[in-house]
Amino acid sequence: MSNTIKTAIITGASKGIGKAISLNFAANNIDVVLAARNKTQLKQLQDEIEENYQVKSLIVPTDVTDEIQVKTLVQKTLDQFGKIDILINNAGVGRFKRADEFTLDDYNYMFDINVKGVFLVTKYVVPHMVARESGQIINIASIAGKNGFKTGTLYAASKHAVVGYTWSLREDLKEYKIKVSVVCPGSVVTEFGGKKPDKVEWSMEPEDVAFACYYLASESDYVNTAEIIIKPRLNPRKINQS
Ligand SMILES: NC(=O)c1ccc[n+]([C@@H]2O[C@H](COP(=O)([O-])OP(=O)(O)OC[C@H]3O[C@@H](n4cnc5c(N)ncnc54)[C@H](OP(=O)(O)O)[C@@H]3O)[C@@H](O)[C@H]2O)c1
């Protein structure tokens, strides 16, 4: 059991931003617990980590909306590593339509994964961090957690919820020396929402969000940045493709 190397749980690790965070952390000597539903993609990521880095990794297939599976995720992490230093609540989904075209299923889908998922994983990780008076929680919201946009009513509402949740969680946990932050990226080139961002020239790479998370994980003990808003600039890779 390792006690000097940090251990991080990353939800939504199977692809996109969560995968980039997992690889960044592994490259920076942080043991990683990879949580998402797609076992095949998690295994591929674990193989990539084991081939390239010295850290330990653990796969725990998890649907963040399922309370039993979330409890198992936390327990398996503690069984293997004995501690949780960092939680990245990254799992999230988006559907985009005019407000009146959304169905109750769209609402439940986005709020279950984006909001209930953050609530559940945090709920079961926090007691362990409180007992140790140590730990860090980083929630991946979105620029849609700060602004609104056309076709984004429900997604923006869910991400505003994540931002509000995070700022309140920060107040709950600061007396226990637990750091809490929210990261709000603009467009990132991933498969998010089933398509590439519309204006791909103005988009960042998943690695840019991972870099911000590693920055937060690297701050000194007496500093805790509350919120990072990351706005893309013209992306040369995307311009060359068009
Ligand atoms: N891409 C963007 O432009 C952008 C911008 C700002 C913020 N964000 C946010 O960044 C986060 C990651 O998005 P992404 O761009 O990396 O999208 P992505 O490539 O579609 O990845 C989403 C991840 O969430 C996981 N996930 C979805 N439902 C889940 C569930 N019920 N339980 C566990 N994991 C679940 C998926 O894994 P499985 O399918 O294997 O479960 C996948 O690993 C999201 O919270 C998103 O809202 C994205």
Side-chain angles (χ1 to χ4, degrees):
M1 197 179 296
S2 159
N3 281 316
T4 48
I5 294 178
K6 285 185 177 176
T7 302
I9 294 177
I10 299 121
T11 72
S14 58
K15 57 183 179 168
I17 294 168
K19 179 178 177 180
I21 295 169
S22 305
L23 288 167
N24 178 306
F25 279 15
N28 284 294
N29 215 28
I30 298 173
D31 289 337
V32 285
V33 179
L34 311 172
R37 295 164 303 179
N38 188 316
K39 273 188 211 173
T40 310
Q41 287 177 324
L42 289 178
K43 181 71 180 95
Q44 283 166 356
L45 175 58
Q46 187 180 43
D47 290 347
E48 188 176 341
I49 287 170
E50 283 179 358
E51 261 174 44
N52 294 292
Y53 307 113
Q54 304 303 316
V55 295
K56 297 191 188 75
S57 60
L58 173 69
I59 291 175
V60 188
T62 309
D63 182 336
V64 294
T65 68
D66 183 315
E67 191 169 13
I68 306 285
Q69 292 185 35
V70 169
K71 282 185 185 179
T72 302
L73 166 66
V74 173
Q75 195 52 55
K76 284 193 169 176
T77 303
L78 293 174
D79 290 347
Q80 168 123 356
F81 296 103
K83 64 192 177 85
I84 302 164
D85 298 293
I86 303 170
L87 166 63
I88 309 280
N89 277 312
N90 164 74
V93 290
R95 287 178 182 168
F96 304 99
K97 300 174 191 174
R98 203 175 70 189
D100 55 307
E101 291 167 350
F102 277 120
T103 63
L104 192 53
D105 174 68
D106 292 324
Y107 174 92
N108 288 332
Y109 176 71
M110 277 185 275
F111 274 78
D112 270 6
I113 297 172
N114 297 358
V115 187
K116 188 169 96 178
V118 171
F119 157 67
L120 279 178
V121 184
T122 305
K123 174 178 168 56
Y124 288 103
V125 165
V126 160
H128 167 72
M129 289 184 171
V130 165
R132 287 178 72 218
E133 292 211 340
S134 173
Q136 177 160 27
I137 298 172
I138 300 169
N139 293 335
I140 308 300
S142 168
I143 195 70
K146 308 299 294 179
N147 302 322
F149 64 99
K150 192 174 177 180
T151 73
T153 50
L154 290 184
Y155 180 68
S158 74
K159 291 299 186 177
H160 273 72
V162 173
V163 172
Y165 180 90
T166 310
W167 277 91
S168 302
L169 183 71
R170 185 180 171 84
E171 295 307 310
D172 276 358
L173 300 185
K174 69 181 176 192
E175 70 192 89
Y176 304 102
K177 305 189 182 105
I178 299 164
K179 296 179 172 188
V180 180
S181 311
V182 64
V183 177
C184 300
S187 267
V188 186
V189 184
T190 68
E191 294 169 6
F192 178 77
K195 62 182 171 87
K196 305 256 179 192
D198 290 331
K199 292 178 184 162
V200 288
E201 294 90 349
W202 290 90
S203 57
M204 68 194 96
E205 303 291 331
E207 291 74 19
D208 297 311
V209 182
F211 182 73
C213 293
Y214 184 65
Y215 166 77
L216 290 170
S218 310
E219 285 186 316
S220 62
D221 286 346
Y222 53 90
V223 177
N224 179 211
T225 296
E227 184 172 278
I228 297 182
I229 297 173
I230 318 174
K231 302 275 282 182
R233 303 186 73 190
L234 283 173
N235 183 329
R237 184 166 79 84
K238 290 288 132 190
I239 293 167
N240 293 338
Q241 274 177 14
S242 59

